[in-house]
């Protein structure tokens, strides 16, 4: 496929010719010294050459003001309805922060730290099919797109135990499907997100590495369920804090090491996200790999929740996946 790669580089070069000489020089150097430099994105007319190269090198791109205020307000209202138990959603997992869970239960949004698997809620799932999101997702997955994992995060004010943190992790740890390069997360800020209320923290370039061993960190105040962390990342690795405005959306690779800090404000920090995979992806057997611990935990939770007895790790994902564009092939 040497010819198509050469044609792709030529197309990118031509698209660069209306830019400044400095841009062209830096782009040429990138293409010369980074052979195969578009392996993490598929051919598209949406991302600029700079965006494609930035994703290749860093493993994420941030798109400003992508989702409308109107849509986000609709998602917020639906979250509030679910939190007040005005609506029951099949398969939805409602999670509470471990510190809040130990206090008296109050049926409102203050008790809820995360909604997971909202594929059966038409209003929230609308996020996963927004055309403005999918046009970017296609740059990483290709045209046949499955929405595999959905979350609305309502990071609570930290109760003093630092439990509102999310340990540094790689999302691929949770997924028994491959290839990793055809999986992408979209994560949209539902309000201003900054270091004070616990924005995402990423380690740029870690997507080029391998899947690391994960487990629960030994935190004094306790750790939220399923919040596994990478065991051996370099704490000296440069970090980027992704401060975002309402509607800003970051797209990132499933091997990118990331997490989030404590929410040190009195308000809640909301974000909505979806993990997408190419419908051409395939399931793998994780037995004997570093993912065996998460497989066991997910199977135990699924068996309790659905009273199905033994259920395979693959099945826990297959029944949650939803086609959002193109055709369902192997996932």
């Amino acid at each position: 496929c040497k010819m198509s790669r050469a044609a792709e580089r030529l197309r990118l070069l031509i698209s660069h010719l209306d830019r400044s000489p400095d841009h062209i020089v830096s782009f040429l150097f990138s293409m010369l010294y980074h052979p195969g430099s578009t392996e993490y994105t598929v051919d598209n007319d949406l991302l600029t050459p700079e965006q494609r190269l930035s994703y290749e090198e860093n493993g994420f791109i941030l798109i400003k003001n992508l989702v409308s205020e109107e849509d986000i307000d609709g998602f917020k209202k639906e979250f509030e309805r679910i939190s007040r138990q005005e609506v029951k959603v099949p398969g939805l997992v409602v999670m509470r922060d471990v510190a809040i869970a130990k206090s008296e239960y109050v049926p409102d949004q203050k008790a809820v730290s995360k909604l997971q698997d909202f594929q059966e809620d038409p209003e929230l799932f609308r996020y996963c099919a927004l055309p403005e999101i999918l046009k970017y997702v296609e740059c990483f997955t290709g045209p046949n797109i499955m929405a595999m994992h959905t979350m609305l995060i309502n990071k609570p004010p930290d109760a003093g135990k630092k439990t509102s943190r999310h340990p540094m992790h790689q999302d691929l740890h949770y997924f028994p499907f491959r290839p990793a390069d055809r999986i992408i997360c979209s994560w949209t800020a539902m309000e201003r997100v900054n270091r004070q209320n616990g924005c995402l923290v990423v380690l740029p370039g870690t997507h080029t590495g391998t899947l690391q061993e994960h487990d629960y960190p030994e935190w004094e105040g306790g750790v939220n369920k399923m919040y596994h962390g990478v065991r051996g990342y370099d704490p000296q690795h440069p970090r980027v804090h992704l401060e975002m405005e309402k509607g800003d959306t970051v797209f990132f690779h499933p091997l990118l090491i990331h997490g989030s800090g404590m929410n040190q404000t009195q308000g809640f920090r909301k974000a909505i996200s979806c993990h997408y995979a190419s419908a051409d992806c395939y399931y793998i057997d994780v037995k004997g790999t570093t993912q065996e611990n998460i497989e066991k935990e997910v199977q135990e939770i699924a068996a309790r929740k659905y009273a199905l007895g033994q259920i395979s790790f693959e099945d826990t994902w297959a029944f949650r996946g939803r086609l959002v564009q193109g055709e369902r092939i192997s996932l």
Side-chain angles (χ1 to χ4, degrees), residues 24 159 224 292 317 325:
I24 296 170
N224 286 306
E292 211 165 357
W317 285 100
Q325 185 179 291

Side-chain angles (χ1 to χ4, degrees), residues 20 29 40 61 63 123 138 151 189 220 285 294 314:
S20 72
F29 267 82
Y40 295 106
I61 58 164
I63 308 297
E123 175 58 19
E138 188 173 346
M151 286 190 301
E220 196 180 324
D285 184 357
I294 192 68
E314 175 181 325

Side-chain angles (χ1 to χ4, degrees), residues 66-324:
L66 185 63
V67 179
S68 75
E69 190 155 344
E70 186 184 358
D71 281 329
I72 288 172
D73 290 345
F75 305 145
K76 270 187 182 167
K77 284 194 180 96
E78 185 67 0
F79 170 75
E80 287 159 10
R81 286 179 67 222
I82 292 168
S83 299
R84 290 193 300 264
Q85 300 181 359
E86 290 172 14
V87 58
K88 277 242 182 262
V89 181
L92 182 74
V93 180
V94 179
M95 301 172 80
R96 292 189 291 147
D97 184 278
V98 67
I100 297 171
K102 287 172 184 169
S103 65
E104 190 180 334
Y105 177 67
V106 185
D108 71 357
Q109 63 172 304
K110 290 186 176 63
V112 177
S113 61
K114 188 191 282 188
L115 300 180
Q116 199 157 272
D117 303 333
F118 57 66
Q119 66 275 357
E120 292 297 329
D121 184 286
E123 175 58 19
L124 292 182
F125 194 71
R126 204 166 54 75
Y127 168 77
C128 304
L130 287 174
E132 57 268 39
I133 294 278
L134 290 180
K135 71 180 183 182
Y136 279 98
V137 170
E138 188 173 346
C139 299
F140 308 99
T141 62
N144 300 311
I145 306 172
M146 294 288 293
M148 297 300 293
H149 183 235
T150 54
M151 286 190 301
L152 193 155
I153 305 119
N154 185 48
K155 189 191 274 280
D158 199 86
K161 302 281 188 183
K162 300 184 180 177
T163 53
S164 65
R165 290 178 294 174
H166 197 305
M168 301 301 277
H169 65 285
Q170 296 165 300
D171 290 339
L172 193 67
H173 171 64
Y174 298 92
F175 305 151
F177 41 90
R178 299 291 186 275
D181 295 344
R182 297 285 82 90
I183 302 169
I184 191 78
C185 178
S186 71
W187 193 101
T188 299
M190 293 175 68
E191 54 213 318
R192 177 175 289 168
V193 174
N194 54 32
R195 292 183 72 160
Q196 286 68 45
N197 64 9
C199 66
L200 286 179
V201 184
V202 300
L203 305 189
T206 49
H207 68 300
T208 62
T210 56
L211 181 59
Q212 304 295 306
E213 193 176 345
H214 288 61
D215 213 336
Y216 283 111
E218 291 170 7
W219 286 353
E220 196 180 324
V223 187
N224 286 306
K225 199 76 179 151
M226 307 280 284
Y227 277 31
H228 290 196
V230 173
R231 281 205 156 163
Y233 74 95
D234 177 9
Q236 301 306 312
H237 192 290
R239 296 173 175 227
V240 173
H241 291 81
L242 295 177
E243 298 203 315
M244 298 162 68
E245 297 296 328
K246 184 176 183 178
D248 292 356
T249 302
V250 61
F251 295 89
F252 60 90
H253 191 282
L255 281 171
L256 182 74
I257 296 176
H258 66 287
S260 64
M262 277 190 299
N263 180 358
Q264 300 174 69
T265 70
Q266 293 309 300
F268 287 73
R269 188 275 271 154
K270 289 183 181 62
I272 189 167
S273 81
C274 181
H275 279 94
Y276 300 89
S278 166
D280 301 284
C281 286
Y282 51 86
Y283 288 102
I284 60 162
D285 184 357
V286 301
K287 296 237 173 335
T289 74
T290 60
Q291 290 180 264
E292 211 165 357
N293 59 347
I294 192 68
E295 175 185 45
K296 187 168 180 286
E297 191 171 340
V298 168
Q299 284 175 323
E300 285 169 0
I301 291 168
R304 277 199 310 272
K305 186 173 179 192
Y306 300 108
L308 291 173
Q310 189 60 30
I311 181 170
S312 76
F313 194 25
E314 175 181 325
D315 284 344
T316 67
W317 285 100
F319 81 80
R320 285 181 288 177
R322 297 289 183 274
L323 184 72
V324 287

